Structures are given as structure tokens and as C-alpha cells.
Amino acid sequence: MTDRQDIHSSGIPALCAACEARHRGVCGALEPAQLVALSKTSSKQRVQPGAELVGDEETVDHYSNILSGVVKLTKTLSDGRQQIVGLQFAPDFLGRPFRSESAANAEAATEVSLCSFPRATIERMLRESPQLEHRILTQTLKELDEARDWMVTLGRKTAAEKVASFLLLIARNIDPARAAGAEGISFDLPLTRADIADFLGLTIETVSRQLTRLRTDGVISIEHNRQVFVGNLSRLEARSGI
Amino acid sequence: MTDRQDIHSSGIPALCAACEARHRGVCGALEPAQLVALSKTSSKQRVQPGAELVGDEETVDHYSNILSGVVKLTKTLSDGRQQIVGLQFAPDFLGRPFRSESAANAEAATEVSLCSFPRATIERMLRESPQLEHRILTQTLKELDEARDWMVTLGRKTAAEKVASFLLLIARNIDPARAAGAEGISFDLPLTRADIADFLGLTIETVSRQLTRLRTDGVISIEHNRQVFVGNLSRLEARSGI
DNA sequence: CGCGCTGTTGATCGGGTTCAACGCAAGTGG
DNA sequence: CCACTTGCGTTGAACCCGATCAACAGCGCG
């Protein structure tokens, strides 16, 4: 284990200097020399909502760090029924290591900025750097915990509880600091009603009705369809069926 | 990377000699010397169905390999609604690394035999052996894939499709070789109707009805409530809503 | 035997889906 | 500038799948 201090010394690629993924993301596990090597083949990009990042069952040729925005992972049944199986936020690592084929479709839910690397580079570094693999493991465990929490929501909660749980999830991911506090919080929904329905295993009509119900009950207020204000988070929690 | 051959040479603890976890499980990542060290503190045990292996939010003091049987991971809402969020089979590793508290309750669904180790030992070896961590990562990724597949089932499939999917899942885990083939397969359900319901996000009545429907439609036959015979797996697949 | 446990079957109910109409805001092109 | 379209969201009415409530059957066991 090298001194972590050197991360802050010179030798950091300009591209990475102000990058959040270097602190909280997987790049935090890399030493300056590795960062330099990686940044040589990396490229930042910005994509629009709806852009497909990784096609289902498509061979994956690159991995990415999410620098901003929200990415949805979806699975689709042959007859078109769709389910969102994961949401990823900055500074998550995007891609399924050790498998050339993706198990799910990754799509930008909002405008997303990415820093992507060729698959071969990451896989070489994974072999060389146990710290990197450790970071990946940590994130994977986190995703597994989240997936299992969500299975409870999908399997056992009512529509009203699902929608409340969803709002809490978003609030906590968009603004963790504020969501921990007790006062009000406002945020933009990163998903359309259709996406929320696909996430919750509901129809858009039900999502819409539950949102208006929360609104008329004074738990939330909504502007421009997307901007949500929650005056009292604990009232929302009480409806989420903890 | 050391020569894998030496795994089969002498120096293997007697306890591990015939152990499946040494081949397909995490112990396969360990060198003989590490195996010896680990086996000094490990203990095999056999528990009855219903035994609680890891309590929810309980501090975890040991990890285990599943040698035989089926373990269910459950989550429970405050009002008692329950959801099974994972099933583990031999030779899976049981326990949530890097977190002293478990996120879910682990319970023996069938009679289960385990080989367990003190938490401290595993965590030390994880620090020393990247190969071990790699195995854990591989299993975690597999569990994440399974969890996401199951989210589609929970969120988007009908009761009939859920039950068919469940039978396929069990068939494939109990007897992977046979389930890959085209002919018939028979197996024992490792779960009660109540467990199946908790796994599928249904009630026991609905599970029962769907099973009898599959039976009267000639897709499966059931004896002694638990033993299932599937004459034609593709007929079952057709009903699973792939 | 009676008892408890697990599973099945029936009757009824209700939450969420489905189908359909409508509102509203942002283009788009004459 | 205004008519038209298109996409997204809301609301209403009817229906249906799965939940709920209830009775009962099989089976091991004291």
C-alpha cells in the first residue's frame, strides 16, 4: 500500500485533476502512474437522455465512470415488458467486469457525462491492481444490497409505498446530505413517468395517480412535472412501508 | 500466480480433501498453506431446516461455505411482510464481506451443512490473497446478475410466469447438467409453499393454484407435495415469460 | 384418537391494470 | 402568428388478476 498523499502531488493528469471519480470513484484506487496510463486512453463524453450506452447482449468494448447524470439499467422480456433493474449515479463505475456480454441494457436517463476507457486497459489494470478490484467489489456489493432492497419493494409493497420509496431513493442519491437532515428538500426527478413505472413494476397511470395522491395529501408538491419538493421527509418515510 | 497443480498435491487438510468448496467454491483460490491455516479454525456443522444462520442486523462473527442444502436470504418489513431476496446453493460463500452487520436474514431452507470460519480469519486472508477476493467478486457479480433477473420476475411477470420461472430456477440449480438437456427432470422443491410465496412476492394460495394449474395442464407432476417431475422443460420455459 | 402443520380449493373482494379521453407545453411549418 | 402535431402527463370507467377470508384434506405425531 503506497502513501495516499502522493495522490495529491503532481503527476495527476489534467483530465483527472478535478474529477470526482478520482476521489469517490474507482480511480481513487489508482496510483499516479496508473492514472496517467489510463488517462491516455480515456475520453470524456456527454450524451443526451435516451442514448443507449450499452446494448443488451451486445459485446462490451469499453467501461466508463459516470461523472454526472443518471444511468438506468433495463431488462426487457420478449413481449416488450420492461423492468429497470438498477440506477447508477456519479461516480459509479459502469460496466460488467469479467464478461464480454452485458446482462442488461444501459441507457442515459438524464444528460450524462462519462469518462470511458477501452475494455482491455481496465482488465489489465484489474489484473495488476488488487486495490482497483477491491473498489469494484465494494461497488458491486453496494449494488447487490440495493438490488435486494428493491426486491422487497417490488415483491411486497403496495403501489403507494413503491412510489414513496422511489422518491426517497432519488432524494437520497441526488442530495445525500440534505436527505439525511430533517428539513425540506427539493430535487428534479431524473426519470419520466414511464421510467418510474418500469422501475416500480407499475403502469404510468398508477404512478401518476399515486403522485397526485401524495400531492393532494400535502406530502409533496410538484412543479413542471419533474421538480419535487418534500416538506417533511419523515412523512414520506411513513408512507414508504419501511 | 502459483501452479494450480500443487492444489492436488499433498498438504491438503483432511477436512478439505473431499470438499466441493475447494474445487468450485472460494477455497479453490487458496494455496495449500492457506488452506491449512484456514482449516485450523474452521468447523463443519449440519443444521436443520428453519435454523437461523445469520440474524438480520446482527453482528456477523463468522462466514461459511455452503457444502450442501439451500439457504434463503430474507428481508422483512416492519409489519411482517417478508421477501426472499436470494437463494444460495453449494458451494456458495455465505456472508457479507466488509460489513459487520448483515443486511438480510439467512436461514436454512433445507437441511444444510456448512463449513464456517471466524470473521477475522477470512478478512485477514482477503487482505493477503487477491485471488480470494477475486473469487468473492465473481460470486458477488453472479448474485447481482441473479438478483436483477429476479427483479424482472417480481416486477413484470404474472403469477403463472413467476411460478414457472421459479421451477426452472430450482431445476437449474439442483441439477444443472440435466436441466441443460432436453429430456425430463425431477427434483425436490427445497422450499415450502410459504417460502415460494415469499420468494415470488405472492401468497401461498396463489402459488398452490398455479402449481395445480401446471399439474392439470400436464406440464409437471407432483408427488408428496415436494417432488416435482418436469417431462418437457421447454414447455415450462414457454410459460416462464422469457 | 385428537392435534398441529402444510397444502388445497372455493367464494368474494379490491388494488392495479387496461382502455380511453383529455390537458398542456414544446416544437414545426405554413 | 397561428394551426397542427407530437410527447408527456393526468383523469375517469370498467375489468380482472391476485389477495383475502374461510373451509377442508392429508399426514405425521404425541
Side-chain angles (χ1 to χ4, degrees), chain B residues 157-160 201-203 205-206 209-210:
Chain B
K157 290 191 187 174
T158 64
L202 298 171
T203 59
E205 294 93 331
T206 302
R209 278 185 250 269
Q210 296 302 335

Side-chain angles (χ1 to χ4, degrees), chain B residues 9 15 23 50 65 82 122 164 166 173 179 195-196 205 220 223 241:
Chain B
S9 68
L15 196 65
H23 299 292
N65 278 319
Q82 204 172 48
I122 290 286
F166 169 74
N173 273 286
D195 284 338
I196 299 173
E205 294 93 331
I220 63 174
E223 272 172 40

Side-chain angles (χ1 to χ4, degrees), chain A residues 151-152 154-156, chain B residues 71-74 82-89 146-147 149-151 153-154 162-163 165-167 169-170 173 191-203 207:
Chain A
M151 289 172 77
V152 181
L154 286 173
R156 290 302 185 194
Chain B
V71 173
K72 53 178 180 170
L73 306 177
T74 65
Q82 204 172 48
Q83 176 69 45
I84 293 184
V85 296
L87 286 181
Q88 300 200 282
F89 302 82
E146 288 165 357
D149 277 340
W150 211 250
M151 290 172 78
T153 302
L154 286 172
K162 285 181 177 181
V163 171
S165 302
F166 169 74
L167 292 176
L169 177 91
I170 297 301
N173 273 286
L191 302 185
T192 65
R193 300 293 189 272
D195 284 338
I196 299 173
D198 281 349
F199 192 51
L200 296 171
L202 298 171
T203 59
V207 171

Side-chain angles (χ1 to χ4, degrees), chain A residues 8-218:
Chain A
H8 298 290
S9 68
S10 61
I12 304 287
L15 196 65
C16 310
C19 179
E20 201 185 7
R22 208 184 90 244
H23 299 292
R24 299 195 298 126
V26 291
C27 292
L30 298 175
E31 299 176 31
Q34 294 176 303
L35 261 188
V36 171
L38 188 58
S39 71
K40 284 215 173 74
T41 55
S42 73
S43 65
K44 285 198 183 179
Q45 46 184 305
R46 181 167 284 266
V47 301
Q48 292 306 303
E52 190 179 69
L53 303 175
V54 184
D56 194 1
E57 300 187 4
E58 182 180 291
T59 27
V60 179
D61 58 348
H62 64 275
Y63 293 113
S64 309
N65 278 320
I66 301 174
L67 304 182
S68 73
V70 178
V71 174
K72 54 177 180 169
L73 306 178
T74 64
K75 279 177 172 271
T76 309
L77 297 175
S78 51
D79 63 359
R81 281 174 289 175
Q82 204 171 49
Q83 176 69 46
I84 293 183
V85 296
L87 286 181
Q88 300 200 283
F89 302 81
D92 287 349
F93 179 80
L94 179 63
R96 167 68 163 85
F98 313 125
R99 177 173 291 186
S100 52
E101 315 227 326
S102 163
N105 195 309
E107 188 176 316
T110 63
E111 191 180 49
V112 169
S113 57
L114 295 169
C115 184
S116 22
F117 330 97
R119 187 174 151 220
T121 312
I122 290 286
E123 297 200 333
R124 179 167 44 75
M125 289 202 175
L126 268 176
R127 261 174 270 122
E128 289 167 2
S129 167
Q131 290 101 312
L132 180 57
E133 190 157 288
H134 182 78
R135 285 269 182 151
I136 300 280
L137 175 55
T138 303
Q139 181 186 315
T140 306
L141 284 166
K142 192 190 98 210
E143 286 179 35
L144 183 56
D145 286 344
E146 288 165 356
R148 287 177 168 163
D149 277 340
W150 211 249
M151 289 172 77
V152 181
T153 302
L154 286 173
R156 290 302 185 194
K157 290 192 187 172
T158 64
E161 290 169 337
K162 285 180 177 183
V163 171
S165 303
F166 169 76
L167 291 176
L168 283 172
L169 177 92
I170 297 301
R172 289 181 178 137
N173 273 287
I174 296 284
D175 194 341
R178 194 84 47 86
E183 336 84 77
I185 180 175
S186 87
F187 52 91
D188 265 32
L189 288 179
L191 303 185
T192 65
R193 299 293 189 270
D195 284 337
I196 299 174
D198 283 348
F199 191 53
L200 297 171
L202 297 171
T203 58
I204 52 175
E205 293 94 332
T206 303
V207 171
S208 178
R209 278 185 251 267
Q210 296 302 335
L211 283 173
T212 52
R213 184 134 178 267
L214 285 172
R215 193 157 39 76
T216 55
D217 289 2

